[in-house]
Amino acid sequence: MQALTAWRRIACVFLPFAAGYYLSYVFRTINALIGGQLSSDIGLETADLGLLTSVYFLVFAAVQIPIGISLDRFGPRRIQSVLLLVAAAGAALFAVATGFLSLLIARAMLGLGVAGALMAGLKSIVLWFPKERVALLNGYMIMLGSLGAVTATAPAEYLLRWMNWRQLFEILAFATGATAILIYVVVPERIMGRSTIRNTLSSVLGDPRFWRIAPLSAACIGSAWSLQGLWASPWLTDVERFDHPRLVGQLFTMSIVLCGGAWSFGTLVHCIRQRRAGVEIIVAAIAGLFIAAQLSLILRLPLPSILPWSVIAIAGTATVVSFAAIAEYFPPELTGRANGALNVLHFGWAFVSQCGTGLILQQWPVVDGHRTVFAYQVAFGLNLVVQIAAFVWFALPWLGSFGRRMGSNPLRLPASVSDAVETFMPCEQLLVVMPANTDSEW
């Protein structure tokens, strides 16, 4: 194995994979900006636009497990460089597409081509960096990648003053191909030694801890991607009645918040791990805030629009926390499969949420160029029900522990402050007493 200094690992491993993830975020969110132009130029309906944007997530989800297995077997360098060439071809096809079908095929190629961007980056971090730095570097990886969402707002809007969306995709096709070549040439090869454990997907899918956290992570993160990647723009236009400059400004602000959220989550997880505490409480807190933000939109609470939408944007970077929790359950040899399995659910729900929202919205007519507030309330509300159900499922072990404690001594009053904390805050005690990777009741 070639020895690399810390700075060479950053330059030759971390940054090239971060560039690939950056491009994947550009492709994921760019339709929120150009959706109106696509609809007018190609003649797309609301449901068509929802399907076109969400097919990215469908293909993305479908190939996560095969890509995860390939990353574990062949390493991230070769897999990522090949996939990014597919993405470059998809961007080139998107630039010359003249109808819905060709756009759909191109979008699907983009989804396939960048499907391994995040997992390849996370796998490279596991392979090349110390374990105690993994969570922090994961946060930096997602922060740098989410700059792609920033690029897909005001900077892309500025470029579109000088060119059309087809020329923009030609530039993206060239940049993606160049990044593929960079990763193949610059990133060193590193093969993991043979492990004594069985590196099978069943080792991941058979673990009950995975199925406790995965539904909540998928329902919240997938919904956040769906909303920011497409439906934030129609909501702000139809419900908030933003004009185009104000819309672009809010999308830009949300993207900046997205980057800050990724860095904050990575730093927070790093600090919590140093204190030998579990990260699952962070998952619960993020989910609770995300649900509350959507509820405030649905109920039309008198809050500044940027506040709930910023929370929604931040929730999209909670993959840092989810992957950190998953990393506590499985050894490094299984990280590709574990992250891939979780990403199947993330992107699978993003597809269902994004496409389903378009189908629901189309059931209401357009009045004076806008859809009714009630249409959005129904579409967003049905999505929220799924998240609340997943949150209850995630919290069941804590709720069960609380019920058992209360049921065993229902009439006993706490004799002291510490006794009261022990009785009425079992969740906090679980975080201290029970290690995050225990099999007991999880």
Side-chain angles (χ1 to χ4, degrees):
M1 181 185 68
Q2 182 183 5
L4 294 179
T5 64
W7 284 110
R8 287 191 64 192
R9 286 198 297 268
I10 293 292
C12 297
V13 178
F14 180 82
L15 291 179
F17 283 106
Y21 187 51
Y22 164 86
L23 288 168
S24 78
Y25 238 117
V26 172
F27 290 127
R28 184 190 305 176
T29 56
I30 190 66
N31 278 15
L33 181 66
I34 67 171
Q37 297 180 42
L38 287 175
S39 298
S40 60
D41 292 352
I42 309 297
L44 302 181
E45 300 290 340
T46 303
D48 294 334
L49 183 60
L51 177 59
L52 174 64
T53 306
S54 63
V55 74
Y56 171 101
F57 292 120
L58 178 63
V59 175
F60 212 112
V63 298
Q64 286 301 292
I65 290 178
I67 289 177
I69 295 173
S70 300
L71 289 171
D72 287 337
R73 183 172 298 175
F74 301 110
R77 167 180 166 267
R78 284 177 282 182
I79 299 301
Q80 177 69 334
S81 57
V82 170
L83 287 176
L84 283 179
L85 289 177
V86 176
L93 177 59
F94 201 95
V96 299
T98 57
F100 175 70
L101 181 59
S102 54
L103 283 173
L104 194 68
I105 294 172
R107 183 73 175 170
M109 291 177 64
L110 286 172
L112 173 61
V114 299
L118 176 58
M119 287 196 300
L122 299 182
K123 183 71 177 182
S124 68
I125 290 172
V126 169
L127 290 177
W128 284 100
F129 293 91
K131 183 177 181 180
E132 61 273 12
R133 295 289 181 181
V134 166
L136 187 62
L137 288 169
N138 285 353
Y140 287 141
M141 173 72 69
I142 295 177
M143 179 191 72
L144 293 176
S146 60
L147 288 174
V150 177
T151 304
T153 56
E157 171 72 9
Y158 178 79
L159 289 176
L160 289 173
R161 297 176 185 174
W162 304 94
M163 64 183 68
N164 57 39
W165 61 269
R166 296 184 184 278
Q167 294 170 316
L168 176 62
F169 268 83
E170 290 174 357
I171 295 174
L172 290 174
F174 175 81
T176 306
T179 303
I181 296 172
L182 176 69
I183 289 175
Y184 188 81
V185 172
V186 172
V187 176
E189 194 70 58
R190 182 173 185 184
I191 304 298
M192 293 290 294
R194 287 189 174 273
S195 173
T196 58
I197 67 170
R198 294 183 61 195
N199 294 339
T200 63
L201 184 61
S202 60
S203 302
V204 175
L205 300 182
D207 195 313
R209 297 168 300 176
F210 176 84
W211 289 111
R212 176 172 168 259
I213 195 174
L216 181 62
S217 181
C220 292
I221 293 173
S223 296
W225 291 344
S226 168
L227 292 171
Q228 182 170 17
L230 181 61
W231 296 119
S233 180
W235 169 280
L236 294 172
T237 302
D238 293 342
V239 178
E240 306 289 347
R241 300 302 175 97
F242 280 18
D243 57 19
H244 189 70
R246 191 178 177 191
L247 169 65
V248 174
Q250 177 132 326
L251 293 177
F252 178 76
T253 303
M254 289 168 58
S255 301
I256 294 294
V257 171
L258 182 77
C259 297
W263 176 82
S264 299
F265 288 151
T267 304
L268 182 60
V269 170
H270 177 68
C271 294
I272 285 180
R273 276 186 163 177
Q274 285 187 326
R275 298 188 178 191
R276 301 183 180 275
V279 298
E280 290 179 341
I281 192 65
I282 307 178
V283 175
I286 295 169
L289 289 173
F290 181 61
I291 290 170
Q294 294 169 90
L295 194 60
S296 72
L297 290 175
I298 294 169
L299 298 179
R300 304 293 290 130
L301 298 182
L303 297 172
S305 175
I306 190 60
L307 181 60
W309 280 110
S310 293
V311 174
I312 290 171
I314 289 173
T317 66
T319 46
V320 177
V321 184
S322 298
F323 288 137
I326 291 293
E328 294 180 352
Y329 303 156
F330 304 104
E333 294 84 355
L334 283 175
T335 54
R337 289 166 171 83
N339 291 341
L342 185 58
N343 255 351
V344 168
L345 300 178
H346 284 159
F347 286 95
W349 182 251
F351 166 76
V352 172
S353 174
Q354 200 165 72
C355 185
T357 298
L359 291 173
I360 294 171
L361 290 176
Q362 193 154 310
Q363 305 311 307
W364 278 265
V366 176
V367 180
D368 296 329
H370 300 281
R371 296 199 183 274
T372 64
V373 176
F374 184 69
Y376 286 96
Q377 288 173 323
V378 172
F380 286 16
L382 291 175
N383 196 9
L384 187 61
V385 169
V386 176
Q387 298 165 37
I388 293 173
F391 187 89
V392 172
W393 171 257
F394 177 80
L396 276 178
W398 294 343
L399 296 174
S401 176
F402 178 79
R404 286 192 299 272
R405 289 176 178 274
M406 295 298 295
S408 60
N409 295 291
L411 299 178
R412 183 177 70 87
L413 295 176
S416 63
V417 173
S418 61
D419 194 13
V421 171
E422 181 178 351
T423 301
F424 293 103
M425 298 183 65
C427 299
E428 300 297 332
Q429 186 179 16
L430 278 173
L431 291 174
V432 177
V433 176
M434 186 177 293
N437 60 352
T438 181
D439 290 331
S440 174
E441 299 188 52
W442 298 81

